[in-house]
Amino acid sequence: QVQLQESGPGLVKPSETLSLTCTVSGGSISTYYWSWIRQPAGKGLEWIGRIYSSGSTNYNPSLKSRVTMSVDTSKNQFSLKLSSVTAADTAVYYCAREGGGWVPEDYWGQGTLVTVSS
Amino acid sequence: ENVLTQSPGTLSLSPGERATLSCRASQSVSSSYLAWYQQKPGQAPRLLICGASSRATGIPDRFSGSGSGTDFTLTISRLEPEDFAVYYCQQYDNSPWTFGQGTKVEIK
């Protein structure tokens, strides 16, 4: 059973960079796309982007100028960096696996709350 | 981007009743790339339906999806107590993937 776990600071100051890591267990990170999705409190889901195990990325244009994703296959981890954060970036951040083909995000982490505040 | 609009915003029903949720896209979606998720408070979304009509692994057959083009439907044939939750549709046909704003199915 594939499991994903987000980790990183729960509090980030405005204008700084949010950094999160997702650790994958129970399966290999290879040959899949891995996504980041966020959800502000009481609101809907926003797809941030995805990274393939080779390092190829697709980002949401609304965040593209501030987002960087990376993957470390040796550690079975992938990461998200979001720069120049504001209070609008406060949300629960989820990492997820795309199942491949016509299967979208099928395995999700439990989510981690990141608050942007001074 | 492809904007997904879900209706109604809230559905108030009793256990045993049938729930019909709608998802309308601003641009046509290939049927292979429309999904439905269920989310309960404090939990991550759970994939229910992919490819517009295929149930994900372990999903009960009371959940069914249909539709094509710009109009899609999720039907729950007989609501069980554990089905009261928020439901989201998602298109993963064209980047960026987008989600609808959600439909809350609440106990009447």
Side-chain angles (χ1 to χ4, degrees):
Chain A
Q1 178 80 349
V2 175
Q3 294 184 310
L4 295 87
Q5 179 67 58
E6 304 90 351
S7 59
L11 181 64
V12 182
K13 289 182 168 56
S15 79
E16 295 189 345
T17 295
L18 177 161
S19 295
L20 295 174
T21 295
C22 184
T23 301
V24 179
S25 59
S28 174
I29 203 168
S30 298
T31 69
Y32 286 100
Y33 275 101
W34 302 90
S35 303
W36 289 97
I37 294 151
R38 69 180 183 178
Q39 184 174 37
K43 296 189 177 181
L45 300 160
E46 180 179 30
W47 183 79
I48 300 170
R50 65 177 184 170
I51 185 166
Y52 192 64
S53 51
S54 65
S56 173
T57 56
N58 298 103
Y59 299 146
N60 192 322
S62 68
L63 298 167
K64 187 175 183 177
S65 63
R66 300 193 291 130
V67 170
T68 303
M69 294 183 186
S70 59
V71 62
D72 186 338
T73 54
S74 67
K75 294 182 179 179
N76 243 29
Q77 294 177 334
F78 60 106
S79 298
L80 168 71
K81 291 188 186 297
L82 182 66
S83 64
S84 305
V85 297
T86 69
D89 295 310
T90 295
V92 174
Y93 285 75
Y94 294 101
C95 59
R97 187 192 83 167
E98 274 194 27
W102 46 275
V103 179
E105 285 78 2
D106 57 354
Y107 287 96
W108 294 62
Q110 64 185 24
T112 187
L113 174 62
V114 178
T115 301
V116 179
S117 175
S118 56
Chain B
E1 70 178 40
N2 199 341
V3 177
L4 303 185
T5 302
Q6 293 186 239
S7 60
T10 302
L11 203 49
S12 297
L13 295 168
S14 301
E17 290 193 295
R18 182 184 187 90
T20 303
L21 288 66
S22 174
C23 176
R24 177 163 289 178
S26 63
Q27 304 167 34
S28 184
V29 177
S30 165
S31 293
S32 296
Y33 302 104
L34 192 287
W36 290 92
Y37 293 86
Q38 176 193 69
Q39 188 178 34
K40 297 179 180 179
Q43 296 184 16
R46 173 193 179 197
L47 178 64
L48 297 176
I49 300 287
C50 55
S53 60
S54 296
R55 279 185 298 277
T57 303
I59 301 303
D61 60 7
R62 63 180 181 272
F63 291 92
S64 64
S66 63
S68 64
T70 60
D71 291 299
F72 298 88
T73 300
L74 175 69
T75 301
I76 310 172
S77 59
R78 288 177 57 86
L79 283 163
E80 297 288 341
E82 62 268 28
D83 299 336
F84 292 92
V86 179
Y87 293 83
Y88 293 96
C89 58
Q90 178 204 28
Q91 68 81 23
Y92 50 108
D93 185 18
N94 287 298
S95 183
W97 304 166
T98 50
F99 294 88
Q101 82 280 17
T103 290
K104 182 179 182 181
V105 179
E106 64 176 23
I107 299 177
K108 185 174 182 180

